[in-house]
Amino acid sequence: MDIYSSKLSPAVDYGVGAFLLLIAILSIVGNLLVLFMAYKRSSQMKPAELLSVNLAITDLGAAVSMYPLAVASLWNHSWLGGDVTCIYYGWMGFFFGVASVATLTVMAVVRFTASMTLHSHTEKISKRTVQVMLVGTWLYALLWAVFPLIGWGAYGPEPFGLSCTLAWAEMKEHSPSFVISMFAMNLAIPAIIIICCYFGIIYRLNFFYKSQENAKIIQNKVKMQRRLMLVAVLISAGFIGCWTPYGIVSLWSIYSTSSITPHVSVLPCLFAKTSTVYNPLIYYAFSKSFQQEVMQLLHACIRSQACRGSQPSNLTENTVYMVCEGTTIKKDLHKEHFKSTETDANTQFIPLDYK
């Protein structure tokens, strides 16, 4: 049997393809919004906010480079492109996955560092330091993604035939050391570091909260740190929670004598792919300024369409006055610009900065 033919029924293929298409749309739109809002206020960004931007880049990169090919293959009932696209798909998935894990680990360390110096009014970490850390995460991800290409590990199709990843069954025989090292360095150890950092943050925040010196100032900082920590914990827990079932199933397929059916193996794979959607939703749920920015952008798009549809033909291209549903909007545009400027100056939408 062709290793790239679907092991699922056509109805399941169409259903999984539709679900993955929805995930792709939500991920692309959500992460583009995060990057667009970050670009709008790039001059005001704190160094640590670059970490959330990096997460958005990894999620967007995975969605754009992988999901369209997977959807097309699912609806074709056979993997498109053979070995070449399979290696490409597996490489992209592993590369962006490791980059995300590394970024989450750095984020936890940075948050812990910030919690250690609540008394300080200066920046806890410089922009240059964060940039070096981010370059390190990408180089680390690149190194691990290259290993299977040079013989330590391998890429191959999933059991259900319509996705590609690390070839678990093949590595069981030829690269068992890669499997152990990969799970240790890219799942177990990062998870331990993240958990320890956030438990350390909780301990430090409780200690500072009970401090009687500058109690009001300290308590305000503690409240802010708690909010930022909650967002970071949710982001980390979401990613680890999405990928843990897939890791368990992968290890089961390697070390268990009983095989996993294609219909069962597809579920953790799909669950892992939803990890690219959660971060923008978390930002939207916990950041009022991000909500306001998104709603302003949506209203601006709707107003732009309404204005374009009702604009008189005798107006020049540079006309200041535009007619929208029978009313002039010069004043509205002035108010919208003032509100946007005030929001950018006084609020921050990515909840990972610190003061």
Side-chain angles (χ1 to χ4, degrees), residues 200-312:
I201 292 172
I202 293 173
Y203 173 79
R204 295 295 300 177
L205 292 182
N206 288 334
F207 173 80
F208 278 112
Y209 193 78
K210 296 176 181 179
S211 174
Q212 298 300 316
E213 180 184 358
N214 295 327
K216 186 175 181 180
I217 298 176
I218 294 298
Q219 290 177 9
N220 288 336
K221 286 188 175 183
V222 167
K223 290 179 180 179
M224 182 189 69
Q225 290 290 333
R226 283 177 173 173
R227 178 179 61 85
L228 301 181
M229 186 193 70
L230 176 61
V231 173
V233 167
L234 288 175
I235 292 172
S236 301
F239 185 89
I240 295 174
C242 285
W243 281 98
T244 297
Y246 182 79
I248 293 174
V249 170
S250 300
L251 287 175
W252 181 275
S253 65
I254 294 176
Y255 296 108
S256 176
T257 56
S258 59
S259 60
I260 298 175
T261 64
H263 287 80
V264 173
S265 65
V266 74
L267 295 177
C269 182
L270 288 178
F271 192 52
K273 286 178 168 57
T274 62
S275 64
T276 59
V277 178
Y278 293 148
N279 294 349
L281 296 179
I282 292 172
Y283 296 150
Y284 189 84
F286 286 89
S287 176
K288 291 183 179 180
S289 53
F290 184 61
Q291 295 175 19
Q292 294 171 357
E293 292 278 3
V294 172
M295 295 307 298
Q296 287 178 11
L297 180 62
L298 180 61
H299 292 161
C301 292
I302 294 174
R303 183 180 294 113
S304 176
Q305 292 298 323
C307 294
R308 188 177 294 111
S310 59
Q311 184 176 352

